[in-house]
PDB file of all heavy atoms in Angstrom:
ATOM      1  N   LEU P 104     -21.029 -17.296  41.952  1.00  0.00           N
ATOM      2  CA  LEU P 104     -21.451 -18.155  43.098  1.00  0.00           C
ATOM      3  C   LEU P 104     -22.090 -17.382  44.200  1.00  0.00           C
ATOM      4  O   LEU P 104     -22.841 -17.917  44.988  1.00  0.00           O
ATOM      5  CB  LEU P 104     -20.231 -18.938  43.628  1.00  0.00           C
ATOM      6  CG  LEU P 104     -19.651 -19.951  42.632  1.00  0.00           C
ATOM      7  CD1 LEU P 104     -18.345 -20.540  43.160  1.00  0.00           C
ATOM      8  CD2 LEU P 104     -20.642 -21.056  42.351  1.00  0.00           C
ATOM      9  N   LYS P 105     -21.778 -16.063  44.276  1.00  0.00           N
ATOM     10  CA  LYS P 105     -22.282 -15.186  45.346  1.00  0.00           C
ATOM     11  C   LYS P 105     -23.660 -14.648  45.042  1.00  0.00           C
ATOM     12  O   LYS P 105     -24.474 -14.428  45.940  1.00  0.00           O
ATOM     13  CB  LYS P 105     -21.309 -14.053  45.623  1.00  0.00           C
ATOM     14  CG  LYS P 105     -20.422 -14.365  46.824  1.00  0.00           C
ATOM     15  CD  LYS P 105     -19.822 -13.068  47.376  1.00  0.00           C
ATOM     16  CE  LYS P 105     -18.552 -12.753  46.648  1.00  0.00           C
ATOM     17  NZ  LYS P 105     -17.902 -11.527  47.104  1.00  0.00           N
ATOM     18  N   ILE P 106     -23.943 -14.358  43.737  1.00  0.00           N
ATOM     19  CA  ILE P 106     -25.205 -13.645  43.406  1.00  0.00           C
ATOM     20  C   ILE P 106     -26.392 -14.654  43.489  1.00  0.00           C
ATOM     21  O   ILE P 106     -26.205 -15.871  43.479  1.00  0.00           O
ATOM     22  CB  ILE P 106     -25.126 -13.008  42.000  1.00  0.00           C
ATOM     23  CG1 ILE P 106     -24.841 -14.035  40.919  1.00  0.00           C
ATOM     24  CG2 ILE P 106     -24.058 -11.920  42.015  1.00  0.00           C
ATOM     25  CD1 ILE P 106     -24.845 -13.467  39.507  1.00  0.00           C
ATOM     26  N   PRO P 107     -27.652 -14.114  43.566  1.00  0.00           N
ATOM     27  CA  PRO P 107     -28.828 -14.973  43.660  1.00  0.00           C
ATOM     28  C   PRO P 107     -28.956 -15.937  42.502  1.00  0.00           C
ATOM     29  O   PRO P 107     -28.588 -15.613  41.377  1.00  0.00           O
ATOM     30  CB  PRO P 107     -30.001 -13.991  43.665  1.00  0.00           C
ATOM     31  CG  PRO P 107     -29.409 -12.687  44.027  1.00  0.00           C
ATOM     32  CD  PRO P 107     -28.008 -12.700  43.561  1.00  0.00           C
ATOM     33  N   PRO P 108     -29.476 -17.171  42.758  1.00  0.00           N
ATOM     34  CA  PRO P 108     -29.588 -18.203  41.711  1.00  0.00           C
ATOM     35  C   PRO P 108     -30.383 -17.720  40.488  1.00  0.00           C
ATOM     36  O   PRO P 108     -30.059 -18.090  39.342  1.00  0.00           O
ATOM     37  CB  PRO P 108     -30.321 -19.330  42.423  1.00  0.00           C
ATOM     38  CG  PRO P 108     -30.184 -19.108  43.846  1.00  0.00           C
ATOM     39  CD  PRO P 108     -29.962 -17.662  44.057  1.00  0.00           C
ATOM     40  N   GLU P 109     -31.408 -16.847  40.689  1.00  0.00           N
ATOM     41  CA  GLU P 109     -32.218 -16.403  39.541  1.00  0.00           C
ATOM     42  C   GLU P 109     -31.390 -15.522  38.588  1.00  0.00           C
ATOM     43  O   GLU P 109     -31.596 -15.533  37.362  1.00  0.00           O
ATOM     44  CB  GLU P 109     -33.519 -15.689  39.974  1.00  0.00           C
ATOM     45  CG  GLU P 109     -33.342 -14.559  40.970  1.00  0.00           C
ATOM     46  CD  GLU P 109     -33.376 -15.012  42.415  1.00  0.00           C
ATOM     47  OE1 GLU P 109     -33.045 -16.182  42.686  1.00  0.00           O
ATOM     48  OE2 GLU P 109     -33.708 -14.167  43.293  1.00  0.00           O
ATOM     49  N   ASP P 110     -30.431 -14.744  39.154  1.00  0.00           N
ATOM     50  CA  ASP P 110     -29.568 -13.932  38.297  1.00  0.00           C
ATOM     51  C   ASP P 110     -28.664 -14.803  37.423  1.00  0.00           C
ATOM     52  O   ASP P 110     -28.450 -14.563  36.275  1.00  0.00           O
ATOM     53  CB  ASP P 110     -28.683 -13.007  39.152  1.00  0.00           C
ATOM     54  CG  ASP P 110     -29.477 -11.899  39.785  1.00  0.00           C
ATOM     55  OD1 ASP P 110     -30.709 -11.855  39.525  1.00  0.00           O
ATOM     56  OD2 ASP P 110     -28.902 -11.051  40.505  1.00  0.00           O
ATOM     57  N   VAL P 111     -28.179 -15.887  38.054  1.00  0.00           N
ATOM     58  CA  VAL P 111     -27.320 -16.810  37.314  1.00  0.00           C
ATOM     59  C   VAL P 111     -28.133 -17.529  36.238  1.00  0.00           C
ATOM     60  O   VAL P 111     -27.677 -17.664  35.084  1.00  0.00           O
ATOM     61  CB  VAL P 111     -26.687 -17.877  38.245  1.00  0.00           C
ATOM     62  CG1 VAL P 111     -25.863 -18.877  37.488  1.00  0.00           C
ATOM     63  CG2 VAL P 111     -25.819 -17.179  39.304  1.00  0.00           C
ATOM     64  N   ALA P 112     -29.378 -17.916  36.613  1.00  0.00           N
ATOM     65  CA  ALA P 112     -30.252 -18.581  35.633  1.00  0.00           C
ATOM     66  C   ALA P 112     -30.516 -17.680  34.448  1.00  0.00           C
ATOM     67  O   ALA P 112     -30.541 -18.103  33.271  1.00  0.00           O
ATOM     68  CB  ALA P 112     -31.525 -19.033  36.308  1.00  0.00           C
ATOM     69  N   ARG P 113     -30.770 -16.379  34.729  1.00  0.00           N
ATOM     70  CA  ARG P 113     -31.060 -15.435  33.649  1.00  0.00           C
ATOM     71  C   ARG P 113     -29.858 -15.284  32.717  1.00  0.00           C
ATOM     72  O   ARG P 113     -30.044 -15.285  31.488  1.00  0.00           O
ATOM     73  CB  ARG P 113     -31.411 -14.054  34.256  1.00  0.00           C
ATOM     74  CG  ARG P 113     -32.098 -13.123  33.252  1.00  0.00           C
ATOM     75  CD  ARG P 113     -32.568 -11.843  33.897  1.00  0.00           C
ATOM     76  NE  ARG P 113     -31.501 -11.107  34.532  1.00  0.00           N
ATOM     77  CZ  ARG P 113     -31.425 -10.870  35.848  1.00  0.00           C
ATOM     78  NH1 ARG P 113     -32.373 -11.319  36.667  1.00  0.00           N
ATOM     79  NH2 ARG P 113     -30.423 -10.213  36.366  1.00  0.00           N
ATOM     80  N   LEU P 114     -28.673 -15.200  33.293  1.00  0.00           N
ATOM     81  CA  LEU P 114     -27.462 -15.113  32.454  1.00  0.00           C
ATOM     82  C   LEU P 114     -27.296 -16.349  31.569  1.00  0.00           C
ATOM     83  O   LEU P 114     -27.065 -16.253  30.395  1.00  0.00           O
ATOM     84  CB  LEU P 114     -26.235 -14.926  33.359  1.00  0.00           C
ATOM     85  CG  LEU P 114     -24.865 -14.936  32.652  1.00  0.00           C
ATOM     86  CD1 LEU P 114     -24.714 -13.760  31.710  1.00  0.00           C
ATOM     87  CD2 LEU P 114     -23.731 -14.940  33.681  1.00  0.00           C
ATOM     88  N   ALA P 115     -27.496 -17.536  32.234  1.00  0.00           N
ATOM     89  CA  ALA P 115     -27.307 -18.786  31.486  1.00  0.00           C
ATOM     90  C   ALA P 115     -28.339 -18.877  30.346  1.00  0.00           C
ATOM     91  O   ALA P 115     -28.011 -19.226  29.215  1.00  0.00           O
ATOM     92  CB  ALA P 115     -27.465 -19.966  32.430  1.00  0.00           C
ATOM     93  N   THR P 116     -29.593 -18.487  30.633  1.00  0.00           N
ATOM     94  CA  THR P 116     -30.670 -18.551  29.635  1.00  0.00           C
ATOM     95  C   THR P 116     -30.359 -17.598  28.483  1.00  0.00           C
ATOM     96  O   THR P 116     -30.540 -17.929  27.311  1.00  0.00           O
ATOM     97  CB  THR P 116     -32.018 -18.206  30.252  1.00  0.00           C
ATOM     98  OG1 THR P 116     -32.157 -18.985  31.441  1.00  0.00           O
ATOM     99  CG2 THR P 116     -33.187 -18.493  29.333  1.00  0.00           C
TER     100      THR P 116
END
Side-chain angles (χ1 to χ4, degrees):
Chain P
L104 294 173
K105 260 199 274 180
I106 60 175
E109 53 272 25
D110 288 1
V111 177
R113 194 174 58 245
L114 174 64
T116 310

